[in-house]
Amino acid sequence: MDEVLIVDFDNHKFLQRTGDEKLILPKKLHRALITALDMAKSEGQSLRSLMVPEAFLRFFLETTGSFNDFMIHVPGAGRQFQKEEFVCKASNAPSIMVFLQWFTETQMFEVYTTERENDRNVVLGTFEEKVLEFQSEDHGELFSDHRRFKKFKLFGKNKKK
């Protein structure tokens, strides 16, 4: 666990750092994430337990929400994720491109893409449902304006059954 970031949200401190945290996250998204986490800190435990995952969900929607646009069908090979295209075209923001270059190399992202390449019947989880909701609405950049970020929906609200 050498390259793992461990955060104690309750005490607002890092338990383990890798040293490159401030270099990886785009500044606007980093500020929005910190703002959301600070807002969650001032709430009670039950609301905080909803707000923290929602903050990270929104972060990943903003950075990787267009993932499926880069999953193509190759005759004879099945589904394939076009990583280079994704990194270069998922966002016009250079800072997000730098983040995606790093993030697409992580084990977490590789497992996620491999599951989607190999399984045609992937069950839509919360992230995939939120991606569909995100794509069907005109969000612009969620994190580019902190005032808009404060209006985020609570996790599970308006969820289709």
Side-chain angles (χ1 to χ4, degrees):
M1 291 199 357
D2 292 337
E3 296 184 27
V4 175
L5 175 67
I6 302 173
V7 181
D8 179 349
F9 286 111
D10 292 328
N11 295 310
H12 203 247
K13 66 179 182 176
F14 291 97
L15 300 178
Q16 181 173 328
R17 294 179 180 224
T18 59
D20 59 358
E21 295 83 15
K22 290 190 178 190
L23 302 174
I24 294 171
L25 297 178
K27 288 181 183 172
K28 285 183 181 181
L29 296 174
H30 178 262
R31 283 193 304 266
L33 189 57
I34 294 299
T35 299
L37 294 174
D38 284 344
M39 287 172 30
K41 206 169 63 170
S42 66
E43 299 297 333
Q45 180 62 34
S46 61
L47 189 54
R48 183 174 42 234
S49 66
L50 295 173
M51 292 175 73
V52 169
E54 181 71 14
F56 283 99
L57 179 63
R58 289 296 183 169
F59 173 84
F60 284 107
L61 281 172
E62 181 70 28
T63 56
T64 65
S66 63
F67 168 87
N68 284 325
D69 296 343
F70 301 92
M71 184 67 75
I72 63 168
H73 178 75
V74 177
R79 293 169 43 116
Q80 289 185 350
F81 178 62
Q82 304 297 303
K83 184 170 31 176
E84 291 78 19
E85 294 284 318
F86 175 67
V87 169
C88 294
K89 296 181 180 178
S91 174
N92 293 331
S95 60
I96 292 180
M97 288 172 59
V98 169
F99 170 76
L100 290 175
Q101 286 173 337
W102 169 83
F103 186 64
T104 57
E105 297 298 323
T106 64
Q107 183 178 11
M108 180 173 87
F109 191 78
E110 188 171 323
V111 168
Y112 182 81
T113 57
T114 301
E115 285 177 355
R116 270 114 199 105
E117 287 174 337
N118 295 334
D119 190 358
R120 296 176 191 260
N121 300 316
V122 173
V123 176
L124 293 182
T126 302
F127 181 71
E128 289 83 4
E129 288 177 4
K130 291 291 186 178
V131 166
L132 292 173
E133 181 182 313
F134 176 76
Q135 290 175 338
S136 70
E137 299 172 3
D138 183 23
H139 285 288
E141 287 196 20
L142 286 173
F143 288 86
S144 61
D145 182 347
H146 296 295
R147 290 168 293 170
R148 287 184 72 191
F149 183 75
K150 289 181 182 180
K151 297 178 186 177
F152 66 84
K153 293 179 187 175
L154 288 178
F155 194 82
K157 187 175 181 183
N158 297 330
K159 187 175 179 181
K160 297 175 186 170
K161 295 182 181 180

